[in-house]
Amino acid sequence: MINSKVLHYLRQQPVPLSPKLKAIEAAAHQKRIPVIPHETVSYLYQLVDQLHPRRVLEVGTAIGFSAALFVEASQMHAQVTTIDRYPEFYEQAKQNWQALGYQQSIQLMTGDAADILPMLTGSYDLIFLDAAKAQYIHFLPEALRLLPPDGILLIDDVLQAGTIFDPVETIRHREKGIHRHLNQLLETVYDDPTLLVTLLPLGDGLLKITKRS
């Protein structure tokens, strides 16, 4: 989404991850396993360091990298609840957390987030949606219900490499549903007078949402 030279620079910058977590990130990139890109890692680390969240909710565990990032950036103060439905990913996540020693700080809930989110109670200081993009619009009401007045909701990968703004008739048939639902998501949050919304050009677009005072 940004100039390739700038992107290369951002992806070379250090983030104070532990050696073990750095190794997990490097291995994921080498094996083309989907994890958040390095520029997003840098942003999330700084955000968590400033926000000091006690409770974090994540939808989309994958191999557990971002959940571990939240634990590290909070200096082990955050309790992370993460949801995923794919055993081939979350089983690897559990192994990674065990290797890092973070298993006590992370609660894994397995199953469909659409079924699990309505069952959650209380509030989460930071909520990170990084799952099926077509489902974001359906997850949004529950995420906002669980978000306190001073909390932050982040929604990752909302731009579809910029094609989100192309006419729908130019989109491949199998991607039309994602295109339609992501546009609906952007329209919904930007049109809501109770929300403050920023779209950050990190990775494939990171949507940052807070509630107005």
Side-chain angles (χ1 to χ4, degrees):
M1 297 307 301
I2 62 175
N3 181 280
S4 59
K5 293 180 181 179
V6 175
L7 183 61
H8 177 75
Y9 177 80
L10 292 174
R11 291 187 174 176
Q12 301 306 309
Q13 300 313 305
V15 179
L17 304 178
S18 67
K20 288 183 178 180
L21 192 54
K22 286 181 181 178
I24 291 171
E25 179 188 26
H29 289 314
Q30 184 178 20
K31 297 176 182 178
R32 297 186 180 275
I33 297 172
V35 295
I36 52 177
H38 192 70
E39 65 272 22
T40 306
V41 173
S42 178
Y43 174 74
L44 291 181
Y45 195 102
Q46 184 183 47
L47 180 67
V48 171
D49 183 68
Q50 294 175 330
L51 184 63
H52 304 297
R54 292 290 179 172
R55 299 186 76 205
V56 177
L57 173 64
E58 174 186 63
V59 178
T61 307
I63 63 167
F65 173 75
S66 50
L69 169 67
F70 295 136
V71 173
E72 278 201 8
S74 71
Q75 300 184 39
M76 305 293 290
H77 294 303
Q79 287 292 319
V80 180
T81 298
T82 182
I83 303 170
D84 206 292
R85 60 186 297 186
Y86 298 109
E88 63 269 25
F89 278 141
Y90 64 66
E91 289 299 334
Q92 180 62 56
K94 290 191 285 187
Q95 294 178 29
N96 287 333
W97 300 330
Q98 183 75 30
L100 291 161
Y102 296 167
Q103 64 273 23
Q104 298 302 316
S105 298
I106 302 172
Q107 177 191 16
L108 171 65
M109 304 186 74
T110 60
D112 195 322
D115 298 324
I116 294 173
L117 287 172
M119 298 189 300
L120 299 179
T121 58
S123 62
Y124 295 85
D125 308 302
L126 178 64
I127 300 176
F128 183 51
L129 304 186
D130 186 17
K133 294 182 283 293
Q135 298 303 312
Y136 288 160
I137 186 64
H138 304 302
F139 297 158
L140 180 65
E142 292 298 333
L144 292 175
R145 176 182 67 83
L146 296 165
L147 191 71
D150 56 349
I152 294 175
L153 168 61
L154 299 172
I155 307 179
D156 202 21
D157 297 329
V158 298
L159 293 180
Q160 286 287 89
T163 62
I164 190 69
F165 306 115
D166 293 343
V168 66
E169 56 269 16
T170 67
I171 304 300
R172 289 184 295 182
H173 179 73
R174 66 180 181 178
E175 296 176 354
K176 287 185 186 294
I178 296 175
H179 184 274
R180 183 175 66 255
H181 285 123
L182 285 178
N183 271 285
Q184 185 181 356
L185 172 71
L186 293 174
E187 291 170 5
T188 299
V189 297
Y190 275 112
D191 288 346
D192 189 332
T194 69
L195 303 178
L196 291 173
V197 184
T198 302
L199 181 54
L200 302 171
L202 296 170
D204 198 17
L206 182 67
L207 203 57
K208 181 179 180 183
I209 300 170
T210 58
K211 293 180 177 178
R212 287 183 182 272
S213 301

